[in-house]
Amino acid sequence: MINRLAVFGATGDLTARYLLPALAALRAAGHLGDQMQLTGASREDWTTEQYRQWIADQLDRHGGSCPSGARKAIAASARYVRADATDPTDLAAAIAGDGPVAVYLALPPAVFPRTVAALHEARLPAGSRIVLEKPFGENLAGAQELNRLLADLVPEQAVFRVDHFLAMTTVQNVLGSRLANRVLEPLWNSTHIAEVDIIWDETLALEGRAGYYDQVGALKDMLQNHLLQLLCLVAMEPPISLGERDLRDRKLDVLRSVRLLTEHDVVHRTRRARYLPGTIGGRDIPAYADEEGVDPHRGTETFAEVELELDSWRWAGTTFRLRSGKALQENRMEVAVRFRSVPHLPFGHSGAALPNVLRFTLEPEGLTLDLTAIGSHAHELVPLSLTARMEPPGLPAYGRLLLDVLTGDPALSIRGDEAEAAWRVVEPVLSAWEKGLVPLEEYPAGSQGPEPRQWPGAAAVARTCSSVKDVPDETQ
Ligand code: NDP
């Protein structure tokens, strides 16, 4: 286990909201001892005392569920180094110390290549590990260049490309439900499954993060990484083990099987949009274009939807729809697996047999199965939903990830070839969007997103259903 963690970007939102509470949770659970040292490095002109106070304040705000002893221990273990993460001398000062160090780049993604290049000169101790946040690179060429820089610095096993969705208990349970039970896997193919919706809709708007988000947008912020990783877990062949090689090989197979979209496909099977003024939960939200720090001419999307097909024996004929949007009416974070309708109904026509939908709800954690049953009147078919709520996770996702980094298990991080394969899926969309082939639609903040399209090819997109009652019945 590595006992030194150096965080660059140590005064940022990620550090405050996720990394510090995760460290406190690890400490509270007994995973971190007194020997653990945290170095916070950023460009602010702070002292260690100021930084410790900042940590205490952030843990009060975001880590309130952790015992105060654990929070105090994390603050006391910290030292602050003022450092430009692109300067080799500054980097060397921040990672100075005995033994290997885990270097966490909690930085804007545009800074990663310069920091990794500078780390070459900063003399990283043997056995050190590097953690990079998402998105990994800004496009395929950027990811390839970053992979080359990293390969010259440390072995692949020491590179942790973070996707914290993979460490979420509910996301892990997509695999748990599939592979620890007999009932699902025989049906887990295109013969039985018509569509899969992988959705991360949130009520949160920009929340002051224009500096990062306006450069990135929904496609690169959510679909290129988190939602494609979810697709991998839903669609992968059962791995021999959940060890890093087996798991990541099988995920790579899924990414390689995605049929790359042509420009025609992008026009007909993707959407992008941004929010207009509106109200969410009684809060007035300005138009995205008017949010502070946004360049309205950049045309950054706050809503992205992409429909994919997989060229594989198991999945040919199933549609996978990935969607994420900000400033929407309600939080809806789920994987909804929609089964095909039954081939024959011996019940006459009273009521409809709705397609079964299995939903993995990611926040809050749960599982729902929509079935059809016979109601109190003979031959009347009624919907029946079975819902299970799961225990809250023992460790937050970032706690699990940090533990994996410190103990050296990269299974839940993205391998270099996976990161490139994910960009290969997204590049045709980015390129057609940049050419203006897909219009930037608009939706009021607090709405369900852009209106369904009116042209005939939009049927599949419009079929995205918010509840089982909205699902068209194929048997009619
Ligand atoms: P912020 O803009 O809040 O923080 C970025 C941090 O990096 C600041 O502390 C900033 O300090 C520092 N920084 C920027 N440039 C340099 C530099 N050259 N040298 C040293 N420090 C520098 O961003 P976030 O914390 O939100 O995001 C960081 C990363 O985490 C991104 O890759 C993002 O995608 C990822 N992430 C964020 C999530 C979140 O909810 N916030 C969730 C999941 C991932 P300064 O004040 O000096 O500019």
Side-chain angles (χ1 to χ4, degrees):
M1 170 130 169
I2 285 184
N3 283 316
R4 296 202 299 130
L5 174 66
V7 178
F8 291 88
T11 55
D13 186 66
L14 179 85
T15 304
R17 282 204 295 146
Y18 293 108
L19 300 186
L20 294 173
L23 286 170
L26 287 177
R27 172 83 194 198
H31 293 294
L32 303 182
D34 287 338
Q35 65 279 32
M36 183 71 206
Q37 294 168 20
L38 169 66
T39 300
S42 215
R43 293 180 299 187
E44 301 281 354
D45 200 4
W46 286 0
T47 63
T48 289
E49 273 322 302
Q50 281 174 305
Y51 190 55
R52 287 180 177 172
Q53 185 55 52
W54 184 81
I55 291 178
D57 294 344
Q58 298 310 318
L59 284 175
D60 281 349
R61 259 177 91 188
H62 304 293
S65 57
C66 277
S68 72
R71 289 188 268 148
K72 281 188 183 141
I74 294 304
S77 73
R79 70 175 181 129
Y80 184 77
V81 177
R82 184 175 182 276
D84 181 336
T86 61
D87 182 305
T89 315
D90 285 4
L91 281 170
I95 61 176
D98 291 335
V101 56
V103 177
Y104 201 119
L105 308 192
L107 295 162
V111 181
F112 294 168
R114 281 178 290 150
T115 301
V116 176
L119 277 170
H120 282 84
E121 294 176 51
R123 292 174 185 259
L124 202 57
S128 295
R129 298 174 192 140
I130 300 192
V131 192
L132 298 102
E133 263 299 335
K134 59 101 203 200
F136 181 80
E138 296 178 80
N139 50 33
L140 176 59
Q144 288 170 325
E145 176 57 19
L146 203 44
N147 274 338
R148 271 193 292 274
L149 283 168
L150 287 163
D152 288 343
L153 188 64
V154 289
E156 173 62 32
Q157 295 276 347
V159 181
F160 291 74
R161 298 171 192 80
V162 164
D163 191 317
H164 74 278
F165 272 39
L166 289 174
M168 288 163 64
T169 315
T170 37
V171 171
Q172 299 253 309
N173 253 320
V174 172
L175 277 189
S177 304
R178 278 186 61 191
L179 304 180
N181 298 287
R182 186 101 197 185
V183 292
L184 289 182
E185 204 51 27
L187 304 178
W188 213 251
N189 53 55
S190 63
T191 306
H192 299 286
I193 294 176
E195 297 178 339
V196 179
D197 283 342
I198 300 176
I199 291 174
W200 192 270
D201 284 353
E202 55 189 5
T203 54
L204 281 182
L206 193 58
E207 317 296 331
R209 296 186 65 215
Y212 162 72
Y213 194 86
D214 199 41
Q215 308 280 332
V216 179
L219 185 68
K220 289 187 191 176
D221 185 49
M222 293 301 299
L223 273 72
Q224 189 274 342
N225 36 76
H226 300 317
L227 301 196
L228 278 180
Q229 285 297 317
L230 275 167
L231 168 71
C232 288
L233 297 190
V234 171
M236 74 199 294
E237 293 300 321
I240 297 166
S241 77
L242 294 188
E244 61 87 14
R245 180 169 170 197
D246 293 329
L247 185 64
R248 302 196 291 182
D249 281 354
R250 296 291 75 79
K251 287 197 291 156
L252 181 64
D253 289 344
V254 175
L255 293 168
R256 292 182 59 234
S257 75
V258 175
R259 188 182 311 153
L260 298 184
L261 299 181
T262 62
E263 279 190 351
H264 179 271
D265 293 332
V266 176
V267 171
H268 290 85
R269 310 192 72 167
T270 75
R271 302 183 78 180
R272 62 190 187 113
R274 66 180 175 183
Y275 60 82
L276 292 169
T279 311
I280 303 173
R283 231 168 25 116
D284 286 337
I285 307 290
Y288 176 77
D290 295 333
E291 295 263 23
E292 196 181 333
V294 165
D295 174 1
H297 303 297
R298 194 189 293 277
T300 302
E301 78 286 351
T302 59
F303 174 102
E305 182 170 273
V306 173
E307 247 184 44
L308 298 172
E309 309 269 338
L310 305 190
D311 283 329
S312 68
W313 188 288
R314 187 191 280 257
W315 291 117
T318 299
T319 300
F320 292 85
R321 191 173 304 111
L322 279 51
R323 183 181 91 199
S324 183
K326 278 191 175 298
L328 293 170
Q329 187 178 53
E330 57 180 358
N331 284 328
R332 181 178 168 213
M333 290 101 171
E334 66 178 25
V335 175
V337 179
R338 182 180 160 235
F339 290 82
R340 297 189 191 281
S341 301
V342 293
H344 171 66
L345 266 181
F347 296 108
H349 287 287
S350 174
L354 299 167
N356 301 142
V357 182
L358 178 65
R359 294 174 199 281
F360 299 91
T361 34
L362 306 176
E363 272 189 23
E365 299 90 355
L367 195 64
T368 302
L369 177 60
D370 295 332
L371 298 166
T372 298
I374 293 182
S376 47
H377 303 295
H379 302 320
E380 183 196 36
L381 300 180
V382 294
L384 170 74
S385 259
L386 307 180
T387 299
R389 286 277 161 249
M390 291 174 192
E391 290 286 308
L395 276 180
Y398 270 97
R400 171 80 197 267
L401 284 178
L402 280 173
L403 191 59
D404 285 354
V405 169
L406 297 172
T407 56
D409 180 0
L412 297 185
S413 74
I414 314 294
R415 207 168 54 194
D417 49 3
E418 272 186 87
E420 292 182 17
W423 278 115
R424 273 193 198 93
V425 171
V426 167
E427 286 262 301
V429 183
L430 280 175
S431 145
W433 285 10
E434 275 161 21
K435 287 184 192 166
L437 299 181
V438 176
L440 182 64
E441 300 174 61
E442 294 180 321
Y443 59 97
S447 70
Q448 291 187 341
E451 291 290 322
R453 280 186 183 158
Q454 296 309 315
W455 40 268
V461 176
R463 258 203 322 265
T464 305
C465 47
S466 59
S467 89
V468 70
K469 294 183 196 65
D470 300 328
V471 180
D473 180 12
E474 289 169 4
T475 60
Q476 298 283 294

